[in-house]
């Protein structure tokens, strides 16, 4: 499909940020966005790159009431010589379609998804920050726009992509996080929508995260909803444990989001001949490994921070200090390798990187 361009005239473009160290996360947006509409009788139409601006939405539109709404999150990285890379973007396109299917929303053409991401980045390429650790955070989103109360599948949708210039997550080096194991609330249940990026999941997680924050913790660790025993995720990231010489992560049971970073960590670990196990892991097992000294490192994985070391795990009012509260060597190694690939600095043995500026 051909994407129409309605670009903002040069003299009307926004002033760009001046200091990359003040970008933060998800606050600064570029001059343009991609939009495309859908109607049940017409399919997708009007793919367009136009000015970044507010939408007009009818107050009765379905997404505002019933959260028929999904999104993705990926990044574009600027290499040392100004090259621009994406990391496994086709996996985001596929996952977006998996989310769409579960939420009774229309599929997107995956080629068009990639084309839209690429073209939008190139239109706003002057906005991409250059420093190591900085990037464009790309947010493709689909919302149900039919004007109708009454719970039903919308007949109309809007798909859009926006770009945010984001700062280095670890400007002052790795900061191991303090994680609170939450027992009274759960993120999702079997048969639910925990394995897709549906907007409502994040609204449902806020109460537990704010409880953890009040207690002085960075994030929650979710347990499974049925037994309140098996480890699922940390906040909105996947979790890994290094026990002895094994890398253990919860298996994709249907209640865990299949992270692309998670899959990349598993692939790298196997490539390095580590023992990797995907299996249900109980929190009391984690405590036992901690007590017998075999729990070496814990880290979380996700696009925003890539790898995030866990320094403290609090379960039933007892704090486990992991690796002396410091970042472990393997955690660091996964981070360095992934970031090296993302910024085009190291070989890319799995073909994960896509250069888009040439
Ligand atoms: C997005 C997300 C992740 C991480 O997925 P990546 O593809 O690695 O960014 C993990 N858990 C949840 C709940 C998420 O929404």
């Amino acid at each position: 499909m051909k994407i129409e361009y309605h670009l903002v005239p040069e003299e009307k473009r926004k002033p760009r940020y001046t200091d990359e160290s003040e970008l933060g996360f998800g606050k600064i947006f570029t001059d343009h966005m991609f939009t495309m509409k859908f109607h049940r009788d017409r399919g997708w139409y009007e793919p367009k790159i136009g000015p970044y601006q507010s939408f007009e939405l009818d107050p009765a539109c379905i997404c505002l009431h019933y959260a028929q709404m999904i999104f993705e999150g990926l990044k574009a990285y600027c290499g040392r010589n100004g090259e621009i890379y994406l990391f496994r973007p086709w996996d985001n396109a596929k996952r977006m379609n998996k989310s769409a299917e579960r939420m009774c929303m229309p599929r997107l053409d995956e080629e068009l998804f990639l084309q839209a991401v690429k073209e939008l980045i190139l239109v706003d390429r002057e906005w991409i920050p250059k420093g190591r650790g900085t990037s464009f955070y790309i947010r493709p989103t689909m919302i149900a726009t039919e004007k109708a109360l009454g719970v039903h599948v919308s007949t109309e949708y809007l798909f859009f992509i926006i770009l945010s210039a984001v700062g280095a997550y670890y400007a002052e080096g790795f900061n191991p996080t303090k994680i609170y194991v939450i027992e009274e609330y759960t993120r999702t249940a079997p048969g639910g929508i925990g394995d897709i990026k549906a907007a409502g999941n994040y609204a449902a997680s806020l109460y537990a995260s704010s409880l953890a924050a009040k207690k002085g913790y960075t994030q929650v660790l979710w347990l499974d909803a049925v037994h309140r025993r098996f480890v699922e995720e940390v906040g909105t990231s996947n979790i890994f444990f290094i026990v002895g010489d094994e890398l253990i992560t919860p298996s994709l049971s249907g209640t865990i989001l299949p992270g692309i970073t998670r899959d990349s960590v598993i692939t790298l670990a196997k490539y390095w001949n580590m023992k990797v196990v995907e299996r249900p892991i109980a929190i009391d097992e984690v405590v036992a490994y901690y007590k017998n000294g075999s729990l070496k490192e814990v880290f979380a994985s996700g696009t925003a921070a890539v790898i995030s070391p866990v320094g403290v795990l609090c379960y039933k009012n007892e704090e486990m200090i992991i690796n002396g509260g410091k970042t472990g060597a393997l955690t660091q190694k996964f981070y360095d390798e992934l970031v090296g690939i993302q910024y085009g600095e190291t070989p890319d043995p799995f073909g994960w990187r896509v250069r888009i500026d040439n």
Side-chain angles (χ1 to χ4, degrees):
M1 235 194 273
K2 186 156 166 18
I3 298 174
E4 299 268 330
Y5 280 61
H6 298 269
L7 301 189
V8 181
E10 283 296 337
E11 68 280 7
K12 292 212 173 131
R13 296 201 179 174
K14 297 184 275 202
R16 284 197 289 275
Y17 55 87
T18 47
D19 186 350
E20 289 193 1
S21 71
E22 287 170 8
L23 287 171
F25 186 85
K27 292 184 294 195
I28 311 266
F29 296 94
T30 64
D31 284 309
H32 297 91
M33 65 191 202
F34 175 84
T35 54
M36 180 164 66
K37 296 178 190 162
F38 179 94
H39 190 284
R40 188 183 55 195
D41 303 332
R42 241 182 119 173
W44 288 108
Y45 62 99
E46 275 178 28
K48 180 168 91 183
I49 292 177
Y52 180 104
Q53 61 187 16
S54 306
F55 301 129
E56 245 184 44
L57 283 180
D58 192 283
C61 80
I62 288 181
C63 67
L64 295 179
H65 302 271
Y66 311 121
Q68 199 190 4
M69 205 160 18
I70 56 174
F71 63 88
E72 267 303 323
L74 66 160
K75 281 178 169 177
Y77 308 87
C78 187
R80 287 213 182 101
N81 303 309
E83 332 84 273
I84 301 175
Y85 300 105
L86 294 171
F87 183 73
R88 306 184 62 174
W90 48 86
D91 290 310
N92 296 95
K94 279 194 210 123
R95 193 169 63 189
M96 184 108 194
N97 273 337
K98 202 184 123 196
S99 300
E101 193 172 323
R102 178 67 176 81
M103 297 294 279
C104 300
M105 300 171 89
R107 290 178 63 84
L108 289 155
D109 173 29
E110 289 168 16
E111 287 293 325
L112 178 64
F113 175 102
L114 286 185
Q115 182 194 345
V117 166
K118 281 185 201 173
E119 291 192 27
L120 179 62
I121 291 170
L122 294 180
V123 163
D124 278 339
R125 64 186 298 170
E126 322 257 271
W127 283 85
I128 195 167
K130 310 285 182 298
R132 181 59 130 71
T134 66
S135 57
F136 265 162
Y137 183 76
I138 307 158
R139 172 51 61 87
T141 307
M142 196 194 296
I143 64 175
T145 49
E146 185 192 340
K147 168 190 174 183
L149 296 180
V151 180
H152 66 275
V153 173
S154 180
T155 55
E156 290 167 67
Y157 296 89
L158 175 69
F159 172 64
F160 62 89
I161 307 173
I162 51 177
L163 301 177
S164 175
V166 304
Y169 213 89
Y170 295 113
E172 286 102 41
F174 262 157
N175 276 323
T177 52
K178 289 181 70 181
I179 303 298
Y180 185 79
V181 181
I182 191 112
E183 293 182 89
E184 30 315 40
Y185 301 98
T186 56
R187 197 181 79 88
T188 181
I193 52 173
D195 60 344
I196 59 161
K197 282 197 179 288
N201 286 337
Y202 305 85
S205 75
L206 296 174
Y207 192 78
S209 316
S210 42
L211 271 184
K214 270 189 212 133
K215 293 178 195 280
Y217 293 87
T218 331
Q219 250 312 342
V220 292
L221 186 152
W222 302 103
L223 298 176
D224 80 285
V226 177
H227 310 92
R228 305 282 166 107
R229 201 176 149 226
F230 296 98
V231 171
E232 297 223 307
E233 299 199 51
V234 168
T236 57
S237 332
N238 297 114
I239 186 158
F240 287 86
F241 300 90
I242 295 170
V243 178
D245 60 355
E246 267 187 10
L247 180 69
I248 308 177
T249 194
S251 28
L252 298 177
S253 57
T255 53
I256 290 170
L257 198 287
I260 295 164
T261 321
R262 174 187 180 278
D263 184 73
S264 306
V265 167
I266 293 172
T267 306
L268 273 177
K270 289 183 179 161
Y271 182 67
W272 292 336
N273 290 318
M274 287 178 71
K275 280 187 218 155
V276 188
V277 197
E278 290 176 68
R279 64 165 173 89
I281 176 163
I283 188 68
D284 30 293
E285 222 188 308
V286 173
V287 174
Y289 294 141
Y290 175 72
K291 291 198 169 145
N292 74 17
S294 59
L295 181 64
K296 305 292 183 200
E297 301 180 30
V298 180
F299 63 87
S301 73
T303 296
V306 191
I307 298 290
S308 169
V310 173
V312 176
L313 264 181
C314 179
Y315 180 55
K316 294 200 187 291
N317 290 322
E318 281 202 44
E319 285 198 334
M320 298 180 265
I321 314 291
I322 318 293
N323 193 45
K326 302 221 167 58
T327 302
L330 279 165
T331 303
Q332 184 76 51
K333 188 176 169 186
F334 281 115
Y335 177 80
D336 291 341
E337 186 66 24
L338 285 170
V339 169
I341 294 174
Q342 289 164 342
Y343 286 85
E345 291 164 8
T346 49
D348 174 27
F350 312 104
W352 285 338
R353 190 160 68 202
V354 197
R355 184 165 175 187
I356 60 163
D357 61 300
N358 50 5

